[in-house]
Amino acid sequence: MDKGRKTIGTAHASELLAISTALLDNTTAVGLLKTIYDIIKPIFPFDNAGLFVLEPEQDVFYDILEEGVLSGNEVQKRLAENNLLGPFVYSGNHPDSLIYAKNTRIYSVAIQSKIYRNPQWKLMKAHGLKEMIVGPLIANNEKIGFFCFNSKKEGSYTENDFALFEAIGNQLALAVANMKSDKELREQGKRIEELLKISTAASNIQNRSSLLKVIFDIIKPTFPFDGAGLFVIDQENDQHYEILDAIDILGKHDNLQKTLINDGLLGKFKHQGSAVHFLSQGSEPHLFNIKKDGVKYPHPQFGLMYDSGLRQLIGISLRNGNQTFGMLCFNSKKEGFYTEKDFDFFKAISEQVSLALKNVLDNEELLIRQKRIGDLLKISTAASSIQDRKELLKVIFETIKPIFPFDTAGLFLIDNENDLHHEILDDIDILGEHDATQMAIINSELLGKFKHQGSAIAFLSEDDDPRLFNLKKDGANYPHPQLNLMYDTGLRQTIGVGLRSGNKTFGMLCFNATQDDFYSENDFDFFKAISQQVALAVKNVLANEQIVRLNQELKQERDYLIEEVKIEHNFEEIIGNSPLLKEVFKSVEMVANTDATVLIEGETGTGKELIARALHNRSDRKKKPIVKVNCATLPKELIASELFGHEKGSFTGAFERRIGKFELANNSSLFLDEIGEMPLELQAKLLRAIQEKEIERLGGKEVIKVNVRIIAATNRNLKSESDSGNFREDLFYRLNVFPILMPALRQRKEDIPLLATFFAQKYCKKLNTGFKGIKEQAMQELLAYSWPGNIRELENLIEQACILNQDKALSWSRKLVGPKRKGKALEAKNEEAVIDIKTIKQIQRDQEIETLLKALKKTNWRIRGNKGAAKLLDMKPTTLEYRMKKLGLK
């Protein structure tokens, strides 16, 4: 074929000169396209042209005429629109590369479209192209590309056209070489400008968000990528983690990175042997194929990255001096998108990113320090006001946890003397809202006390500095009864430190996490500072508890002494110490905390209601008030409604539902005063309510269960009343389960001086007058009187005397004359009473001496101060000293 090839004629020489002149100033694809169609086409006719450039380093070729598609060139336009102008892999994967690698040839489009079923040939054929002449572009003895002319007529080109075609090719090759050189120079200048722009932007970066914006808004248009990664490397702990984590910015740019954040795939990850480790080795960039290289150098992100279409990475270490502290990588969905040709520019970009990242990390560290100072101040302020364990628990969970996150907490006290420890986070009310694991520990009775030496608590509290503890690994060497339950609830790691007072370790604080590596040595300083605040708070709590405990002990001792005085002198506001009254007190003590029905009998004014209240207040029902019904004061028609309640409309005037006293007294006590006055027709309903523990409201059909303790009182002899038919016998026996007989005042005259003094002091205080005592003669009259109205009559008499004798010793405004009795018997009683007054005064004196001695012995004869006898007896120290002196106590 070469033997018959013709040489270029004179006419063609001038035409080639014109082409050369036209191409001389063209350094762009648009200029080449214009020359090809305006100058070359008239010389060498064609219907469509292609000019392909080889990039050997990237192993691709592409049609540069895409950049300047002329209007009216439908084929080139459609090829460009369908992305059929390249780049294509040159090394053999693309069928046309074999064609374009040959010398000048002529091809039939129809034949080639059958041999190579690729879209380019099909589209060319569809637009009427019949024939193609193609040849290489050679500059400086190096093949730099191909060019072709296509015609819609078969036989348009012959071997006679080869010489001119190749000569045109030589002109185009020089133009393409010049264009590539010029392009490289322009790209180099552009990259310098872009690096300057990146450098300017990077120098102003202060935080991650601004760094992220520079990467996506400034670097990406300059150095294209489909995804980016920026990792910080912790060489000391063999970990790395990603810091591109601002979702508000990433949501606009990188959905994959947003997914990595949501799936918890930013790290921390093991560094050695990972893809990040490989890409950060040395100071030069590395190329990385996710599928091929990812087998040898894996990473937890690769699965998601590959599924999203990413195929290749270019990465490089970020360095500060000789230290590698990070790695930058850009990702592409095209294999081979990055080549070694990109290394220099990528490295220059990475140097700017490295400086920016270092500034960001330094700023973050500064902000963390400033924040931690503020956080410690906040914790210190909260801890300084802690008074008890509840407040301590609230500070740990509500103040410390948001600052230093944890999943559960532990706070132990160590008893070094007995080699024991126990936990004090035991307030269920607060823990129920915050810590399910600690609640389980409490419910499983795993707070302690446990052996200390050799335990996990001992290990964590041994040094001044904090320690890390893996529940599974370290738990085998340092066991603890709580560890199994903690592990079962998902906990994996603990950070702990001893709590110290001076050189003594008295406790241990620990925080627990569900992640194996949630805490690191980087947390030690801050955790230790927090623990020091907690240690001070715990010491305060323990000191307050000691104070409370001592006060409680003192109060118990005081209450004990007062109780003794109360038993002797004042049982539930009942004044007296006569033998008959003491028997009543004993009965009350025996029956009070049972549910037995009590019947209190006695004359009017003997204090039956006080005994009823004493029974209630000493029972388990005392949390609710006692409910009282006076059966003598209510009309017969209303007693049933008062006791059992009624429904709306059950009788005339029942305009609304009413709850009866039985329902009000549910889980409490019902005091039926003057039970002997209850009409017979209602006694049957009362008996049923007591027996069945259920009632029905008047006009109602619902049976209501009630749990009521019945206490009844009467001034009648119910046994005689039942015998005479005025009181139901069965109800009497139901009420008389535990009878208490209140003695009349005339039967316990030794209590009269105590009662009189008590009432006199009470009313003098009420009248704001001083109590000057009771005249001797007046006291003898009290003792001689028979008191038919009992204590109520005595109280009324004393109140009247206090009004009439203000600031004077009391005497009576009327002569005390009792009911007539048979002469000698009455006189004998009165004479006996007068004679007994000295005995009564001596009893009072002896009792007072005994009470004071008990208090003084309890306090080691200390009179004043919080631990003194005066405090126990609730009197002024000067008063106590006066009484001691008067009674001869030293």
Side-chain angles (χ1 to χ4, degrees), residues 447-474:
L447 294 182
K449 300 178 176 179
F450 301 117
K451 180 174 172 57
H452 183 60
Q453 288 299 320
S455 69
I457 308 304
F459 169 77
L460 288 168
S461 62
E462 277 177 355
D463 287 344
D464 289 340
D465 293 323
R467 286 184 170 183
L468 298 175
F469 188 91
N470 183 286
L471 268 67
K472 189 171 184 179
K473 296 176 184 176
D474 299 321

Side-chain angles (χ1 to χ4, degrees), residues 115-295:
I115 297 174
Y116 302 110
R117 298 185 179 278
N118 55 355
Q120 293 96 325
W121 290 108
K122 185 177 180 181
L123 192 146
M124 290 165 65
K125 180 181 178 183
H127 283 79
L129 296 178
K130 306 292 187 182
E131 196 171 64
M132 171 192 288
I133 183 170
V134 60
L137 295 174
I138 299 174
N140 299 322
N141 296 320
E142 181 183 353
K143 188 180 292 183
I144 63 170
F146 320 100
F147 77 107
C148 65
F149 295 148
N150 309 308
S151 175
K152 292 183 177 181
K153 294 181 181 179
E154 291 183 358
S156 294
Y157 307 117
T158 65
E159 291 183 1
N160 294 331
D161 300 309
F162 281 11
L164 180 58
F165 180 74
E166 290 173 356
I168 292 172
N170 291 334
Q171 298 294 328
L172 288 174
L174 289 173
V176 169
N178 290 335
M179 183 190 74
K180 288 182 68 176
S181 297
D182 184 73
K183 183 179 180 182
E184 287 176 0
L185 287 173
R186 282 188 285 107
E187 286 181 352
Q188 187 176 2
K190 184 182 177 184
R191 287 191 169 182
I192 291 172
E193 291 178 2
E194 289 168 342
L195 278 174
L196 183 60
K197 185 178 178 182
I198 292 170
S199 177
T200 302
S203 65
N204 295 318
I205 291 173
Q206 297 295 320
N207 53 51
R208 298 189 187 192
S209 296
S210 56
L211 174 58
L212 231 167
K213 292 185 74 172
V214 167
I215 289 174
F216 281 94
D217 294 345
I218 297 178
I219 296 178
K220 186 176 181 180
T222 302
F223 195 95
F225 55 81
D226 295 309
L230 186 58
F231 293 83
V232 173
I233 299 171
D234 180 0
Q235 303 282 4
E236 187 175 350
N237 295 298
D238 189 30
Q239 293 177 336
H240 64 254
Y241 60 91
E242 192 164 2
I243 66 166
L244 297 185
D245 54 3
I247 290 182
D248 54 338
I249 297 174
L250 287 166
K252 304 174 184 176
H253 297 285
D254 195 332
N255 287 327
L256 169 63
Q257 194 71 7
K258 189 176 177 181
T259 305
L260 291 173
I261 294 171
N262 293 332
D263 289 359
L265 290 174
L266 295 187
K268 303 175 179 178
F269 301 117
K270 180 174 173 55
H271 186 59
Q272 289 293 325
S274 69
V276 175
H277 179 244
F278 168 78
L279 290 167
S280 63
Q281 288 180 333
S283 59
E284 298 300 320
H286 299 270
L287 298 176
F288 192 94
N289 184 287
I290 294 177
K291 188 173 184 179
K292 297 176 183 176
D293 299 324
V295 175

